[in-house]
Amino acid sequence: MLNRRTFIGACFSTLGLSFLDAKALKPWHLGHHGDFYFKQMAQSVYVMHGAKKRDHDAQCFIHNPAFIESKNGIIIIDTGASYVVGKAVLNQIAQISPKPIIAIFNTHHHSDHWFANGAIVEAYPDVKIYGHQNIIESATHMYLQGEERLISQAKAKSFYLPSYFVDDDENMTIDGEDFHIQHPKSAHSNSDISITHLQSNVIFLGDIVLESTLGYFSEISSILQNITFLEKLSQQKRYALYVVGHGTSGNYQKTVAPYLYYLSSIKEEVSKAYEEDKGIFELEEAHKRLKQKFTWKEDFTFPLRFVENHMEFVYAELEKEDNFL
Ligand SMILES: [Zn+2]
Ligand SMILES: [Zn+2]
């Protein structure tokens, strides 16, 4: 695995630029996880990679907030999982630029990507929040109803979802910065967007791509469509940097390629069993082969039972496709 120094070196050589990895004067210290601060990854693009593991010390900071410095302000991509995370993100941005936060993109409806919006709105009430319109229904359903709402409120303090909606293949400009949006109808969730910043050629993928970890897929996800979207990405010209939702950002080979390989391998094995008329409880052979195929890294942060869960998910999707035909 590349260490941070070589990774950043690789990143710069792709961009043909060089930046100082200037440590923040006051980094955010999270117990045994160490210090966190935004690093410049490209001209005007900064990312702060979150903690690798969810535990008490991580304080819910497990995602990768990013920001772009425009002429007159700051555009944040994914604010974070709580009000506390939002305050820390603001504090770290302020150490790099005194400009106001003018816009936020939320890549999808999961709380770790937008519960911190309230902290930003509190400091900058005029901030515009962008996302796919499915984020409203999916976030409301998951976090804002019944008893769940109280638990959510304890984390977020107040709820601010996007009120400016973007859709697939949309081009937009914010304060002179140009963006291209892509929206797979259903991949990690049904509200995912990827955001390409054209000036830097950096793509922000939210949880459509995860590195060194795997997400869970729910009834509004589709592993098959996630694969289709990653195949579409593989056909596009290479971006200078792929910012992932969790794990470490990097080039195509380090981010999209391994995740696509993992999901495609699941699809391949399960399709084979499905075509052989094997039932959902007869996937042991396929499971064994998949486990052998992947060398799980020591710092991989998801339990192995996720593989079974993903296999069952693909099986159910294949059945659904069959019934639909
Ligand atoms: Zn997610
Ligand atoms: Zn996430």
Side-chain angles (χ1 to χ4, degrees), residues 33-272:
H33 296 288
D35 288 343
F36 293 83
Y37 51 94
F38 280 96
K39 290 164 197 159
Q40 189 170 18
M41 308 300 279
Q43 187 78 49
S44 78
V45 178
Y46 299 78
V47 182
M48 177 161 69
H49 287 99
K52 295 266 186 227
K53 284 196 166 64
R54 293 166 196 255
D55 58 20
H56 183 261
D57 277 3
Q59 292 185 36
C60 296
F61 180 53
I62 40 100
H63 85 305
N64 299 332
F67 75 86
I68 291 154
E69 185 176 14
S70 63
K71 189 163 179 273
N72 302 299
I74 301 290
I75 300 154
I76 301 180
I77 292 113
D78 284 343
T79 52
S82 70
Y83 178 80
V84 173
V85 171
K87 294 292 274 185
V89 164
L90 279 178
N91 181 290
Q92 291 305 314
I93 293 174
Q95 295 187 48
I96 294 169
S97 171
K99 294 176 187 174
I101 316 297
I102 54 171
I104 294 169
F105 281 104
N106 291 130
T107 58
H108 63 294
H109 72 280
H110 287 151
S111 60
D112 48 327
H113 299 260
W114 72 274
F115 268 18
N117 285 2
I120 316 298
V121 175
E122 185 183 87
Y124 299 96
D126 295 331
V127 67
K128 289 182 173 176
I129 311 178
Y130 298 85
H132 190 270
Q133 62 180 8
N134 287 351
I135 203 172
I136 304 295
E137 192 186 336
S138 296
T140 304
H141 178 72
M142 197 160 176
Y143 305 111
L144 307 182
Q145 293 172 338
E147 283 175 22
E148 200 56 44
R149 191 179 175 94
L150 288 175
I151 301 165
S152 301
Q153 199 142 22
K155 285 187 200 159
K157 213 168 144 180
S158 55
F159 304 114
Y160 288 94
L161 279 161
S163 52
Y164 293 85
F165 300 122
V166 293
D167 212 339
D168 190 36
D169 207 20
E170 191 170 321
N171 289 299
M172 58 190 294
T173 301
I174 302 172
D175 192 28
E177 304 298 321
D178 301 316
F179 299 95
H180 178 244
I181 308 296
Q182 297 181 77
H183 163 65
K185 279 198 172 59
S186 166
H188 170 72
S189 76
N190 67 351
S191 59
D192 304 314
I193 51 168
S194 73
I195 303 143
T196 306
H197 177 232
L198 301 190
Q199 277 85 352
S200 64
N201 195 29
V202 170
I203 187 166
F204 302 90
L205 293 155
D207 291 358
I208 300 170
V209 178
L210 304 170
E211 193 274 330
S212 290
T213 188
L214 294 171
Y216 85 107
F217 290 89
S218 73
E219 69 283 357
I220 52 168
S221 318
S222 167
I223 292 181
L224 298 182
Q225 286 185 54
N226 202 334
I227 292 170
T228 307
F229 186 77
L230 297 185
E231 285 169 344
K232 182 175 147 191
L233 271 186
S234 75
Q235 301 299 317
Q236 292 171 3
K237 65 170 175 37
R238 292 289 177 263
Y239 298 102
L241 180 71
Y242 296 75
V243 179
V244 296
H246 302 270
T248 308
S249 308
N251 62 20
Y252 177 86
Q253 286 307 327
K254 193 184 176 296
T255 56
V256 180
Y259 196 54
L260 176 57
Y261 180 63
Y262 169 75
L263 293 180
S264 304
S265 302
I266 300 268
K267 181 186 169 186
E268 193 184 314
E269 283 292 349
V270 174
S271 300
K272 205 157 68 186

